[in-house]
Amino acid sequence: MPSLDKLCDRMRYWCLSANLGYDQSNRWDIRPGGECDCSSLVIFALREAGFDTGSASYTGNMSQQLTARGWKRLPNNGRPAKGDILLNDVHHVAVYLGNGVLAQASIDERGRGSGGRAGDQTDHETNVRSYYNYPWNAYLRYVGSQSQEDDMTSAQDVWNYSIGEDATAGKNNLPAWMKLSWINHDTAALLATLGRTDDPTGRDTSGTIYDRTCYIDARTAQLTESYKDADGIEGDLLTRVAWIDKRLREAEVRETAMAAAIESLSKALGTNPTDIAATVEKAVKEKLDSLTISLTTETKTDTKPKEETKNE
């Protein structure tokens, strides 16, 4: 039995998950990584969903073939229903998926109808997007009998639901079970890293990442004299790392200021060592010249009486 739900599911699959490209000259190569055009894709999806498409082969004869097989041609009133075929009899066709979006095959990677490489080169050759008016000449709506599917989502449906790179349905989808297995693997690896107590530096220290962070936190607080600020030497891992980062950034600022001061002093004294020596010598000389030095001299008197000279 035909199913509009399955029609929408198949259109969504081909336009989001199958890397299906656009090429009018190879339009029936509908497979993952293959090619299609707008009408071949809709006809192919209709057949997958159990609908009789007769001899429908392109947009020009789709209305005739489908209205003879349970579909009704309705005017474009801007209010399509889920599963409606949006038809421009000459140029384009798409399927309305409900909730304001449609699925379609659009154009190749060069903006042309044929000649491009196989597969979806732009992530948009086949696509799901918000509803727009092409303009559509008519909506083809199925009014025949179809299978009554259980609306209850099964566990298998959830397990196999395709999830894109941004955790929503999109290009490069992967089944939920595969995404979850990667999450489990990454989480296990993270926990193993966080739980390590060995010392890869060979210094024979020990402790978990949290223990080591606490130690670094306390040491940087001491080195930067930050204990007085009560600046986060307690708390979880993120709090401690944030405070370590803050202290190190402040230390970098002080170091830069000191380097600038030293550079300014060097320029003031002269970058040439000879100039620096001359400056020092001059300063010492000027200091010595300003000193007053007093010298006291004393005359020593001989107390012994002089002998008279005798004449012989």
Side-chain angles (χ1 to χ4, degrees), residues 68-116:
R69 292 168 173 81
W71 294 79
K72 183 177 182 180
R73 186 180 176 103
L74 299 174
N76 174 1
N77 63 0
R79 297 189 298 274
K82 180 180 179 180
D84 280 0
I85 296 174
L86 313 174
L87 181 64
N88 179 294
D89 294 289
V90 177
H91 298 295
H92 194 41
V93 65
V95 173
Y96 184 69
L97 304 182
N99 298 318
V101 297
L102 58 80
Q104 64 182 358
S106 295
I107 201 72
D108 78 3
E109 70 271 23
R110 302 170 304 159
R112 300 178 182 177
S114 61

CSV table of all heavy atoms in Angstrom, one decimal, residues 68-116:
chain,number,residue,atom,x,y,z
A,68,ALA,N,-4.6,10.1,-12.8
A,68,ALA,CA,-5.3,8.9,-13.2
A,68,ALA,C,-5.1,7.8,-12.2
A,68,ALA,O,-5.6,6.7,-12.4
A,68,ALA,CB,-4.8,8.4,-14.6
A,69,ARG,N,-4.3,8.0,-11.2
A,69,ARG,CA,-3.9,7.0,-10.2
A,69,ARG,C,-4.1,7.4,-8.8
A,69,ARG,O,-3.2,7.1,-7.9
A,69,ARG,CB,-2.5,6.5,-10.5
A,69,ARG,CG,-2.4,5.8,-11.8
A,69,ARG,CD,-0.9,5.6,-12.3
A,69,ARG,NE,-0.9,4.7,-13.5
A,69,ARG,CZ,-1.1,5.2,-14.7
A,69,ARG,NH1,-1.4,6.5,-14.9
A,69,ARG,NH2,-1.1,4.3,-15.7
A,70,GLY,N,-5.1,8.1,-8.5
A,70,GLY,CA,-5.4,8.5,-7.1
A,70,GLY,C,-5.0,9.9,-6.6
A,70,GLY,O,-5.2,10.2,-5.5
A,71,TRP,N,-4.4,10.7,-7.5
A,71,TRP,CA,-4.0,12.0,-7.1
A,71,TRP,C,-5.0,13.0,-7.7
A,71,TRP,O,-5.6,12.8,-8.7
A,71,TRP,CB,-2.6,12.3,-7.7
A,71,TRP,CG,-1.6,11.5,-7.0
A,71,TRP,CD1,-1.3,10.2,-7.4
A,71,TRP,CD2,-0.7,11.8,-6.0
A,71,TRP,NE1,-0.2,9.7,-6.6
A,71,TRP,CE2,0.1,10.7,-5.7
A,71,TRP,CE3,-0.5,13.0,-5.2
A,71,TRP,CZ2,1.1,10.7,-4.7
A,71,TRP,CZ3,0.5,13.0,-4.2
A,71,TRP,CH2,1.3,11.9,-4.0
A,72,LYS,N,-5.2,14.1,-7.0
A,72,LYS,CA,-6.1,15.2,-7.4
A,72,LYS,C,-5.3,16.5,-7.6
A,72,LYS,O,-4.5,16.8,-6.8
A,72,LYS,CB,-7.2,15.4,-6.4
A,72,LYS,CG,-8.2,16.4,-6.8
A,72,LYS,CD,-9.3,16.5,-5.7
A,72,LYS,CE,-10.4,17.5,-6.1
A,72,LYS,NZ,-11.5,17.6,-5.1
A,73,ARG,N,-5.6,17.1,-8.7
A,73,ARG,CA,-4.9,18.4,-9.0
A,73,ARG,C,-5.7,19.5,-8.4
A,73,ARG,O,-6.8,19.7,-8.6
A,73,ARG,CB,-4.8,18.6,-10.6
A,73,ARG,CG,-4.0,19.8,-11.0
A,73,ARG,CD,-4.0,20.0,-12.5
A,73,ARG,NE,-3.2,21.2,-12.9
A,73,ARG,CZ,-2.0,21.2,-13.4
A,73,ARG,NH1,-1.3,20.1,-13.4
A,73,ARG,NH2,-1.4,22.3,-13.7
A,74,LEU,N,-5.0,20.3,-7.5
A,74,LEU,CA,-5.6,21.4,-6.8
A,74,LEU,C,-4.9,22.7,-7.1
A,74,LEU,O,-3.7,22.7,-7.5
A,74,LEU,CB,-5.5,21.1,-5.3
A,74,LEU,CG,-6.1,19.9,-4.7
A,74,LEU,CD1,-5.8,19.7,-3.3
A,74,LEU,CD2,-7.7,20.0,-5.0
A,75,PRO,N,-5.6,23.8,-7.0
A,75,PRO,CA,-4.9,25.1,-7.3
A,75,PRO,C,-3.9,25.4,-6.2
A,75,PRO,O,-4.0,25.0,-5.1
A,75,PRO,CB,-6.1,26.1,-7.3
A,75,PRO,CG,-7.1,25.4,-6.5
A,75,PRO,CD,-7.0,24.0,-6.7
A,76,ASN,N,-3.0,26.2,-6.6
A,76,ASN,CA,-1.9,26.7,-5.7
A,76,ASN,C,-2.6,27.8,-4.8
A,76,ASN,O,-2.7,28.9,-5.2
A,76,ASN,CB,-0.7,27.2,-6.4
A,76,ASN,CG,0.3,27.9,-5.5
A,76,ASN,OD1,0.1,27.9,-4.3
A,76,ASN,ND2,1.4,28.4,-6.1
A,77,ASN,N,-2.9,27.4,-3.6
A,77,ASN,CA,-3.5,28.4,-2.6
A,77,ASN,C,-2.5,28.8,-1.5
A,77,ASN,O,-2.9,29.5,-0.6
A,77,ASN,CB,-4.8,27.9,-2.0
A,77,ASN,CG,-4.6,26.7,-1.2
A,77,ASN,OD1,-3.4,26.2,-1.0
A,77,ASN,ND2,-5.6,26.1,-0.6
A,78,GLY,N,-1.3,28.4,-1.6
A,78,GLY,CA,-0.3,28.7,-0.6
A,78,GLY,C,-0.4,27.9,0.6
A,78,GLY,O,0.4,28.2,1.6
A,79,ARG,N,-1.2,26.9,0.7
A,79,ARG,CA,-1.4,26.1,1.9
A,79,ARG,C,-1.3,24.6,1.5
A,79,ARG,O,-2.3,23.9,1.5
A,79,ARG,CB,-2.7,26.4,2.5
A,79,ARG,CG,-2.9,27.8,3.0
A,79,ARG,CD,-4.1,28.0,3.9
A,79,ARG,NE,-5.4,27.7,3.1
A,79,ARG,CZ,-6.0,28.6,2.4
A,79,ARG,NH1,-5.5,29.8,2.3
A,79,ARG,NH2,-7.1,28.3,1.7
A,80,PRO,N,-0.1,24.1,1.2
A,80,PRO,CA,0.0,22.7,0.8
A,80,PRO,C,-0.1,21.8,2.0
A,80,PRO,O,0.1,22.3,3.2
A,80,PRO,CB,1.5,22.6,0.2
A,80,PRO,CG,2.2,23.8,0.9
A,80,PRO,CD,1.2,24.9,1.1
A,81,ALA,N,-0.4,20.6,1.8
A,81,ALA,CA,-0.5,19.6,2.8
A,81,ALA,C,0.7,18.6,2.7
A,81,ALA,O,1.3,18.5,1.7
A,81,ALA,CB,-1.8,18.8,2.7
A,82,LYS,N,1.0,18.0,3.9
A,82,LYS,CA,2.1,17.0,3.9
A,82,LYS,C,1.9,16.0,2.8
A,82,LYS,O,0.9,15.4,2.7
A,82,LYS,CB,2.2,16.4,5.2
A,82,LYS,CG,3.4,15.4,5.3
A,82,LYS,CD,3.5,14.8,6.7
A,82,LYS,CE,4.6,13.7,6.8
A,82,LYS,NZ,4.7,13.1,8.1
A,83,GLY,N,3.0,15.8,2.0
A,83,GLY,CA,2.9,14.8,0.9
A,83,GLY,C,2.5,15.3,-0.4
A,83,GLY,O,2.5,14.6,-1.4
A,84,ASP,N,2.0,16.6,-0.5
A,84,ASP,CA,1.6,17.2,-1.7
A,84,ASP,C,2.8,17.3,-2.7
A,84,ASP,O,3.9,17.6,-2.2
A,84,ASP,CB,1.0,18.6,-1.5
A,84,ASP,CG,-0.4,18.6,-1.1
A,84,ASP,OD1,-1.0,17.5,-0.9
A,84,ASP,OD2,-1.0,19.7,-0.9
A,85,ILE,N,2.6,17.0,-3.9
A,85,ILE,CA,3.6,17.2,-5.0
A,85,ILE,C,3.4,18.7,-5.5
A,85,ILE,O,2.3,19.0,-6.0
A,85,ILE,CB,3.4,16.2,-6.1
A,85,ILE,CG1,3.7,14.8,-5.5
A,85,ILE,CG2,4.4,16.5,-7.3
A,85,ILE,CD1,3.5,13.7,-6.5
A,86,LEU,N,4.4,19.5,-5.4
A,86,LEU,CA,4.4,20.9,-5.8
A,86,LEU,C,4.9,20.9,-7.2
A,86,LEU,O,6.0,20.6,-7.5
A,86,LEU,CB,5.3,21.7,-4.9
A,86,LEU,CG,5.1,21.5,-3.4
A,86,LEU,CD1,6.1,22.3,-2.6
A,86,LEU,CD2,3.7,21.9,-3.0
A,87,LEU,N,4.0,21.2,-8.2
A,87,LEU,CA,4.3,21.0,-9.6
A,87,LEU,C,4.2,22.3,-10.4
A,87,LEU,O,3.2,23.1,-10.4
A,87,LEU,CB,3.3,20.0,-10.2
A,87,LEU,CG,3.5,19.7,-11.6
A,87,LEU,CD1,4.8,19.0,-11.9
A,87,LEU,CD2,2.3,18.8,-12.1
A,88,ASN,N,5.3,22.6,-11.1
A,88,ASN,CA,5.3,23.5,-12.2
A,88,ASN,C,5.4,22.6,-13.4
A,88,ASN,O,6.4,22.0,-13.6
A,88,ASN,CB,6.5,24.5,-12.1
A,88,ASN,CG,6.5,25.5,-13.3
A,88,ASN,OD1,6.7,25.1,-14.4
A,88,ASN,ND2,6.3,26.8,-13.0
A,89,ASP,N,4.4,22.6,-14.3
A,89,ASP,CA,4.3,21.6,-15.4
A,89,ASP,C,5.4,21.7,-16.4
A,89,ASP,O,5.7,20.7,-17.1
A,89,ASP,CB,3.0,21.8,-16.1
A,89,ASP,CG,1.8,21.5,-15.2
A,89,ASP,OD1,1.6,20.3,-14.9
A,89,ASP,OD2,1.1,22.5,-14.8
A,90,VAL,N,6.2,22.8,-16.4
A,90,VAL,CA,7.2,23.0,-17.4
A,90,VAL,C,8.6,22.9,-16.8
A,90,VAL,O,9.5,22.2,-17.4
A,90,VAL,CB,7.1,24.3,-18.1
A,90,VAL,CG1,8.2,24.5,-19.1
A,90,VAL,CG2,5.7,24.4,-18.8
A,91,HIS,N,8.8,23.4,-15.6
A,91,HIS,CA,10.2,23.6,-15.1
A,91,HIS,C,10.6,22.8,-13.9
A,91,HIS,O,11.8,22.5,-13.8
A,91,HIS,CB,10.5,25.1,-14.9
A,91,HIS,CG,10.3,25.9,-16.1
A,91,HIS,ND1,11.2,25.8,-17.2
A,91,HIS,CD2,9.4,26.9,-16.4
A,91,HIS,CE1,10.8,26.7,-18.1
A,91,HIS,NE2,9.8,27.4,-17.7
A,92,HIS,N,9.7,22.6,-12.9
A,92,HIS,CA,10.2,22.1,-11.7
A,92,HIS,C,9.1,21.3,-10.9
A,92,HIS,O,7.9,21.5,-11.1
A,92,HIS,CB,10.7,23.3,-10.8
A,92,HIS,CG,11.5,22.9,-9.6
A,92,HIS,ND1,12.5,21.9,-9.6
A,92,HIS,CD2,11.5,23.4,-8.3
A,92,HIS,CE1,13.0,21.8,-8.4
A,92,HIS,NE2,12.5,22.7,-7.6
A,93,VAL,N,9.6,20.5,-10.0
A,93,VAL,CA,8.7,19.7,-9.1
A,93,VAL,C,9.4,19.4,-7.8
A,93,VAL,O,10.6,19.3,-7.8
A,93,VAL,CB,8.2,18.4,-9.8
A,93,VAL,CG1,9.3,17.4,-10.0
A,93,VAL,CG2,7.1,17.7,-8.9
A,94,ALA,N,8.6,19.4,-6.7
A,94,ALA,CA,9.2,19.1,-5.4
A,94,ALA,C,8.1,18.5,-4.5
A,94,ALA,O,6.9,18.3,-5.0
A,94,ALA,CB,9.6,20.4,-4.7
A,95,VAL,N,8.4,18.0,-3.3
A,95,VAL,CA,7.5,17.4,-2.4
A,95,VAL,C,7.4,18.2,-1.1
A,95,VAL,O,8.5,18.5,-0.5
A,95,VAL,CB,7.8,15.9,-2.1
A,95,VAL,CG1,6.9,15.3,-1.1
A,95,VAL,CG2,7.7,15.1,-3.4
A,96,TYR,N,6.2,18.5,-0.7
A,96,TYR,CA,6.1,19.2,0.6
A,96,TYR,C,6.1,18.2,1.7
A,96,TYR,O,5.3,17.3,1.8
A,96,TYR,CB,4.7,20.0,0.6
A,96,TYR,CG,4.6,20.9,1.8
A,96,TYR,CD1,5.3,22.0,2.0
A,96,TYR,CD2,3.6,20.5,2.8
A,96,TYR,CE1,5.2,22.8,3.1
A,96,TYR,CE2,3.4,21.3,3.9
A,96,TYR,CZ,4.2,22.4,4.1
A,96,TYR,OH,4.1,23.2,5.2
A,97,LEU,N,7.0,18.5,2.7
A,97,LEU,CA,7.2,17.5,3.8
A,97,LEU,C,6.4,17.9,5.0
A,97,LEU,O,6.4,17.1,6.0
A,97,LEU,CB,8.7,17.5,4.2
A,97,LEU,CG,9.7,17.1,3.1
A,97,LEU,CD1,11.1,17.1,3.6
A,97,LEU,CD2,9.3,15.8,2.4
A,98,GLY,N,5.7,19.0,5.0
A,98,GLY,CA,5.0,19.5,6.2
A,98,GLY,C,5.9,20.4,7.0
A,98,GLY,O,7.1,20.6,6.8
A,99,ASN,N,5.3,21.1,8.0
A,99,ASN,CA,6.0,22.0,8.9
A,99,ASN,C,6.8,23.0,8.2
A,99,ASN,O,7.9,23.5,8.6
A,99,ASN,CB,7.0,21.2,9.8
A,99,ASN,CG,6.2,20.2,10.7
A,99,ASN,OD1,5.2,20.5,11.3
A,99,ASN,ND2,6.7,19.0,10.8
A,100,GLY,N,6.3,23.5,7.0
A,100,GLY,CA,6.9,24.6,6.3
A,100,GLY,C,8.1,24.3,5.5
A,100,GLY,O,8.8,25.3,5.1
A,101,VAL,N,8.4,23.0,5.2
A,101,VAL,CA,9.6,22.7,4.4
A,101,VAL,C,9.2,21.8,3.3
A,101,VAL,O,8.3,21.1,3.3
A,101,VAL,CB,10.7,22.1,5.3
A,101,VAL,CG1,11.2,23.0,6.4
A,101,VAL,CG2,10.2,20.7,5.9
A,102,LEU,N,10.1,21.8,2.2
A,102,LEU,CA,9.9,21.0,1.1
A,102,LEU,C,11.3,20.3,0.8
A,102,LEU,O,12.3,20.8,1.2
A,102,LEU,CB,9.4,21.8,-0.1
A,102,LEU,CG,10.2,23.0,-0.6
A,102,LEU,CD1,11.4,22.5,-1.5
A,102,LEU,CD2,9.3,23.9,-1.4
A,103,ALA,N,11.2,19.3,-0.1
A,103,ALA,CA,12.4,18.6,-0.5
A,103,ALA,C,12.5,18.6,-2.0
A,103,ALA,O,11.4,18.5,-2.7
A,103,ALA,CB,12.4,17.1,0.0
A,104,GLN,N,13.7,18.8,-2.6
A,104,GLN,CA,13.8,19.0,-4.0
A,104,GLN,C,15.2,18.7,-4.5
A,104,GLN,O,16.2,18.7,-3.7
A,104,GLN,CB,13.5,20.4,-4.4
A,104,GLN,CG,14.4,21.4,-3.8
A,104,GLN,CD,14.1,22.9,-4.1
A,104,GLN,OE1,13.1,23.2,-4.8
A,104,GLN,NE2,14.9,23.8,-3.6
A,105,ALA,N,15.3,18.4,-5.8
A,105,ALA,CA,16.6,18.4,-6.5
A,105,ALA,C,16.7,19.8,-7.2
A,105,ALA,O,15.8,20.1,-8.0
A,105,ALA,CB,16.7,17.2,-7.4
A,106,SER,N,17.8,20.5,-7.0
A,106,SER,CA,17.8,21.9,-7.5
A,106,SER,C,18.7,22.1,-8.8
A,106,SER,O,18.1,22.4,-9.9
A,106,SER,CB,18.3,22.8,-6.4
A,106,SER,OG,17.4,22.8,-5.3
A,107,ILE,N,20.0,22.0,-8.6
A,107,ILE,CA,20.9,22.4,-9.7
A,107,ILE,C,22.3,21.9,-9.4
A,107,ILE,O,22.5,21.5,-8.2
A,107,ILE,CB,21.0,24.0,-9.8
A,107,ILE,CG1,21.4,24.4,-11.2
A,107,ILE,CG2,21.8,24.6,-8.7
A,107,ILE,CD1,20.4,24.2,-12.3
A,108,ASP,N,23.1,21.8,-10.4
A,108,ASP,CA,24.5,21.2,-10.1
A,108,ASP,C,25.4,22.2,-9.5
A,108,ASP,O,25.0,23.4,-9.3
A,108,ASP,CB,25.1,20.5,-11.3
A,108,ASP,CG,25.7,21.5,-12.3
A,108,ASP,OD1,25.7,22.7,-12.1
A,108,ASP,OD2,26.1,21.0,-13.4
A,109,GLU,N,26.6,21.8,-9.2
A,109,GLU,CA,27.5,22.6,-8.4
A,109,GLU,C,28.0,23.8,-9.2
A,109,GLU,O,28.5,24.8,-8.6
A,109,GLU,CB,28.8,21.8,-8.0
A,109,GLU,CG,29.7,21.4,-9.1
A,109,GLU,CD,29.4,20.0,-9.7
A,109,GLU,OE1,28.2,19.6,-9.6
A,109,GLU,OE2,30.3,19.4,-10.3
A,110,ARG,N,27.8,23.9,-10.5
A,110,ARG,CA,28.2,25.0,-11.3
A,110,ARG,C,27.0,25.9,-11.6
A,110,ARG,O,27.1,26.9,-12.4
A,110,ARG,CB,28.9,24.6,-12.6
A,110,ARG,CG,30.1,23.7,-12.3
A,110,ARG,CD,30.6,23.1,-13.6
A,110,ARG,NE,29.5,22.3,-14.2
A,110,ARG,CZ,29.5,22.0,-15.5
A,110,ARG,NH1,30.5,22.3,-16.3
A,110,ARG,NH2,28.5,21.3,-16.0
A,111,GLY,N,25.8,25.6,-11.1
A,111,GLY,CA,24.6,26.3,-11.4
A,111,GLY,C,24.1,26.0,-12.8
A,111,GLY,O,23.3,26.7,-13.4
A,112,ARG,N,24.4,24.8,-13.2
A,112,ARG,CA,23.9,24.3,-14.5
A,112,ARG,C,23.1,23.0,-14.4
A,112,ARG,O,23.0,22.4,-13.3
A,112,ARG,CB,25.1,24.0,-15.5
A,112,ARG,CG,26.0,25.2,-15.7
A,112,ARG,CD,27.2,24.9,-16.6
A,112,ARG,NE,28.0,26.0,-16.8
A,112,ARG,CZ,29.2,26.0,-17.5
A,112,ARG,NH1,29.6,24.8,-18.0
A,112,ARG,NH2,29.9,27.1,-17.6
A,113,GLY,N,22.5,22.6,-15.5
A,113,GLY,CA,21.6,21.5,-15.5
A,113,GLY,C,22.3,20.1,-15.6
A,113,GLY,O,21.8,19.1,-15.3
A,114,SER,N,23.5,20.1,-16.2
A,114,SER,CA,24.3,18.9,-16.4
A,114,SER,C,25.7,19.2,-16.6
A,114,SER,O,26.2,20.3,-16.8
A,114,SER,CB,23.7,18.2,-17.6
A,114,SER,OG,23.9,19.0,-18.8
A,115,GLY,N,26.5,18.1,-16.5
A,115,GLY,CA,27.9,18.2,-16.8
A,115,GLY,C,28.8,18.3,-15.5
A,115,GLY,O,30.0,18.3,-15.6
A,116,GLY,N,28.2,18.3,-14.3
A,116,GLY,CA,29.0,18.4,-13.1
A,116,GLY,C,29.4,17.0,-12.7
A,116,GLY,O,29.2,16.0,-13.3
